[in-house]
Amino acid sequence: MIRLHIALELAYTIGEYGGDFVFNIHAAHTQRQRVVREALSLSQPQPSVVQTDPATGNRYLRLQAAPGPLEVRYDATIDLDHHMAEPGTIAEVPVARLPLSVLSYIYPSRYCPSDRLHRFAMREFGRLPQGYARVQTIRDWVLSHTTFTSNSSTSDTSAIDTLLSTVGVCRDFAHLMIALCRAVNIPARFATGIDYGADPALGPTDFHAYVEAWLGDRWYLFDPSGTAIPMGFVRLGTGRDAADVSFATIFGSITSAAPRIAIQAMADDSGRLIVPYHSTQALSTDG
């Protein structure tokens, strides 16, 4: 088991008419990601509510803010008890046998137009042996054909844009891998979180986007950007693409500062410290 502590600080300036927020900054509760303790503080004395989407498990903080400055602070201690499996034992699941809750993740979505990439994906990956290794090959292909470049994309950049430009940030790597997986009928979803072990040369710790693919009987983790350590991902939310899981959806005239985020490994209650490491095993924080 790995214990991690995360701390987030978000700062905003609210216009004269106030504004509304939907935040997705609370660590998700899953069967293998347990929130040991958490705390939220707001600089404004406004009522807020945290609600959990029963379909995804995403936790949303909803808040109506008054004009002026707003600071949001969230910190949590999380235990990760990964399901680990040998990649060679994990098969793909035929569409006919996919659980109903997984079906939506084989369809095209706003940033992952997999239908437009079908012929390309079949040419590149359609003849590969099916299973975890094929998904890993798609992940490796995205990593080798795309260069991580800060500020190289916008909120309109789709998987096709990234394929053509060959540059992007973690969000773009994830969209491209998801679109290619769906194009060969492998369910894949967009995941947001805080990542442990990112290269400091890439800048301050930030929110991270990665991929979960449905294989065998659960969602397995993949990091097509290659910037961090998957064993150290703390999941915040999952969705079809970035449109579903923005860390902050804002309504009103509001300006924001860059988020301040920290993550560190901690000793558990018995005093044992396990630091996330790169593993050749397939990893999942799903049930």
Side-chain angles (χ1 to χ4, degrees):
M1 187 190 71
I2 294 171
R3 176 165 289 184
L4 298 171
H5 180 265
I6 62 172
L8 291 72
E9 295 183 13
L10 308 176
Y12 301 92
T13 301
I14 317 300
E16 62 176 318
Y17 300 109
D20 292 277
F21 291 86
V22 180
F23 292 104
N24 183 198
I25 58 173
H26 283 66
H29 293 287
T30 76
Q31 291 189 36
R32 293 183 173 271
Q33 176 174 293
R34 185 170 68 91
V35 180
V36 179
R37 62 184 68 89
E38 62 183 350
L40 172 74
S41 66
L42 306 171
S43 64
Q44 292 190 9
Q46 301 291 347
S48 63
V49 61
V50 178
Q51 299 175 312
T52 301
D53 184 329
T56 63
N58 296 346
R59 303 169 67 201
Y60 296 106
L61 166 65
R62 301 178 62 181
L63 168 69
Q64 186 173 60
L70 169 69
E71 293 184 354
V72 179
R73 293 184 175 89
Y74 173 77
D75 69 85
T77 300
I78 297 104
D79 284 347
L80 298 173
D81 181 19
H82 296 89
H83 170 82
M84 305 178 75
E86 288 292 337
T89 67
I90 304 171
E92 292 180 27
V93 182
V95 173
R97 292 199 289 110
L98 289 174
L100 182 61
S101 61
V102 175
L103 275 179
S104 64
Y105 298 104
I106 59 172
Y107 303 144
S109 61
R110 175 179 175 182
Y111 294 112
C112 303
S114 50
D115 51 337
R116 296 176 59 191
L117 290 174
H118 175 71
R119 293 178 65 181
F120 174 83
M122 289 301 296
R123 184 171 68 247
E124 293 288 334
F125 312 111
R127 296 184 180 181
L128 296 178
Q130 294 190 10
Y132 184 98
R134 180 158 75 148
V135 181
Q136 184 66 39
T137 298
I138 295 172
R139 177 267 180 195
D140 293 345
W141 188 96
V142 172
L143 179 60
S144 65
H145 286 76
T146 314
T147 302
F148 191 97
T149 307
S150 298
N151 303 314
S152 58
S153 60
T154 71
S155 59
D156 296 323
T157 301
S158 72
I160 292 177
D161 297 323
T162 302
L163 178 67
L164 296 175
S165 68
T166 71
V167 296
V169 295
C170 59
R171 174 184 188 271
D172 307 307
F173 283 73
H175 283 152
L176 180 53
M177 178 177 171
I178 290 167
L180 292 173
C181 285
R182 293 177 186 171
V184 292
N185 299 327
I186 300 169
R189 68 185 184 184
F190 189 91
T192 58
I194 311 297
D195 58 328
Y196 180 94
D199 185 347
L202 298 175
T205 302
D206 202 349
F207 294 100
H208 188 56
Y210 56 100
V211 175
E212 294 186 343
W214 181 269
L215 296 160
D217 58 355
R218 69 189 69 230
W219 293 102
Y220 284 96
L221 307 176
F222 295 87
D223 182 26
S225 71
T227 59
I229 303 174
M231 193 180 285
F233 291 165
V234 174
R235 184 202 295 181
L236 300 181
T238 58
R240 294 166 300 172
D241 56 32
D244 288 345
V245 281
S246 172
F247 77 87
T249 305
I250 301 171
F251 304 87
S253 178
I254 297 169
T255 58
S256 62
R260 297 173 61 185
I261 302 172
I263 183 170
Q264 62 180 354
M266 299 176 61
D268 62 20
D269 292 338
S270 66
R272 187 182 185 194
L273 173 65
I274 300 178
V275 177
Y277 58 90
H278 286 286
S279 173
T280 58
Q281 296 283 89
L283 301 174
S284 175
T285 54
D286 199 27

